Amino acid sequence: MRAHQVMTRAVITVTPDTPIAEAADVMLRHHVSGLPVLDDAKKLVGILSESDFLHRSEIGTGRKRARWLQFLLGPGAEGADFVREHGRKVGEVMTRNPVTVEEDASLDDIVRTMEKNNVKRLPVMKGVALAGIVSRANLLRAVASMAGDVPDPTSDDDHIRERITRAVSQALWRPIGFQATVRNGIVHLHGIIFDERSRQATIVAAENTAGVKEVHDRLVWVDNYSGFYIEPTEDQRAAS
């Protein structure tokens, strides 16, 4: 899926001259946590988010720094803090040069960009024009819409078992002596694990296999294990 398939198209925006109080009211009334900021030419120049309201003089949450840090950062940082805490217009407190994505950006690209820049929303661009905005809520809705079972004509028990076995056998966390038995789409997992995280990973691999109705955990956890051993695959056995 791409950005244009999940983004919010009817984007509520403000201008750099919009009063802070008005912008806050817009966010509350429309239940949004961020607003793109467009200039008179409809060019994206910033984004206003909830974090921009954290340090405000009205609520007594202005940033407080130790004297030595104030000296180290210099008067410029103090001046910038003062503007953000007391500014009356959006243009004075917004985040400038916001990170954006293009319409055809994949969801993987979107997530990576969000994580890398520690942001919760990204304006979506079509060239130089704002086309929409994608937020974590949009990604959540995409997951929900794709979570339903997709019919698969080859999802009989043998195919299910083969797919689970293939998915698990290629992983470093695979249980030793792993086997999956399947009947009428109901899966039973067998094998030995030395870490509970391997159990959960194996269960998830089974649950994500088309045609699976239920997963029953029969994996055995061994407590006092020392050393490191990975069961060889069939190809590795054949080569030895």
Side-chain angles (χ1 to χ4, degrees), residues 153-197:
T154 64
S155 291
D156 54 60
D157 290 345
D158 287 339
H159 282 96
I160 291 172
R161 182 175 59 255
E162 290 173 5
R163 289 172 179 172
I164 293 174
T165 301
R166 184 166 57 249
V168 174
S169 65
Q170 294 173 350
L172 291 175
W173 42 258
R174 61 182 176 271
I176 289 180
F178 175 74
Q179 288 185 348
T181 59
V182 186
R183 185 172 182 178
N184 297 325
I186 299 175
V187 180
H188 294 261
L189 305 173
H190 305 272
I192 299 172
I193 60 171
F194 308 106
D195 189 314
E196 284 297 328
R197 291 169 292 186

Side-chain angles (χ1 to χ4, degrees), residues 3-218:
H4 67 87
Q5 295 174 294
V6 301
M7 69 183 185
T8 299
R9 295 178 180 275
V11 185
I12 301 168
T13 64
V14 290
T15 72
D17 292 328
T18 301
I20 285 294
E22 181 181 327
D25 184 61
V26 169
M27 293 170 71
L28 291 171
R29 282 191 290 108
H30 293 276
H31 305 287
V32 294
S33 58
L35 296 170
V37 184
L38 306 183
D39 64 12
D40 292 339
K42 302 301 181 183
K43 178 183 177 182
L44 180 69
V45 294
I47 191 162
L48 182 73
S49 64
E50 291 172 328
S51 62
D52 294 314
F53 292 89
L54 291 180
H55 300 288
R56 291 292 300 177
S57 60
E58 296 93 335
I59 55 177
T61 57
R63 194 181 300 275
K64 298 176 179 61
R65 291 193 174 101
R67 285 289 183 182
W68 66 267
L69 186 55
Q70 293 178 15
F71 177 78
L72 184 64
L73 293 175
E78 285 291 305
D81 285 347
F82 183 86
V83 171
R84 293 182 70 85
E85 293 165 10
H86 296 81
R88 311 312 298 170
K89 298 179 180 179
V90 167
E92 295 168 332
V93 303
M94 68 183 185
T95 299
R96 299 179 180 275
N97 302 315
V99 181
T100 64
V101 292
E102 293 296 322
E103 275 191 316
D104 61 351
S106 68
L107 297 195
D108 183 56
D109 290 336
I110 292 171
V111 171
R112 289 177 184 275
T113 302
M114 284 182 172
E115 290 181 333
K116 179 181 178 181
N117 295 278
N118 193 29
V119 295
K120 297 180 180 179
R121 68 200 60 78
L122 293 167
V124 181
M125 308 301 291
K126 184 176 183 180
V128 296
L130 178 68
I133 191 165
V134 61
S135 67
R136 293 181 180 182
N138 295 118
L139 297 178
L140 180 62
R141 284 191 286 270
V143 170
S145 67
M146 297 295 290
D149 291 335
V150 179
D152 186 341
T154 64
S155 291
D156 54 60
D157 290 345
D158 287 339
H159 282 96
I160 291 172
R161 182 175 59 255
E162 290 173 5
R163 289 172 179 172
I164 293 174
T165 301
R166 184 166 57 249
V168 174
S169 65
Q170 294 173 350
L172 291 175
W173 42 258
R174 61 182 176 271
I176 289 180
F178 175 74
Q179 288 185 348
T181 59
V182 186
R183 185 172 182 178
N184 297 325
I186 299 175
V187 180
H188 294 261
L189 305 173
H190 305 272
I192 299 172
I193 60 171
F194 308 106
D195 189 314
E196 284 297 328
R197 291 169 292 186
S198 296
R199 183 192 304 279
Q200 192 60 42
T202 306
I203 292 172
V204 169
E207 290 174 340
N208 276 276
T209 302
V212 171
K213 299 175 182 177
E214 294 180 25
V215 177
H216 295 273
D217 174 19
R218 300 290 185 267

Side-chain angles (χ1 to χ4, degrees), residues 176 194 225 227-232:
I176 289 180
F194 308 106
Y225 175 72
F228 185 81
Y229 171 74
I230 297 178
E231 182 188 19

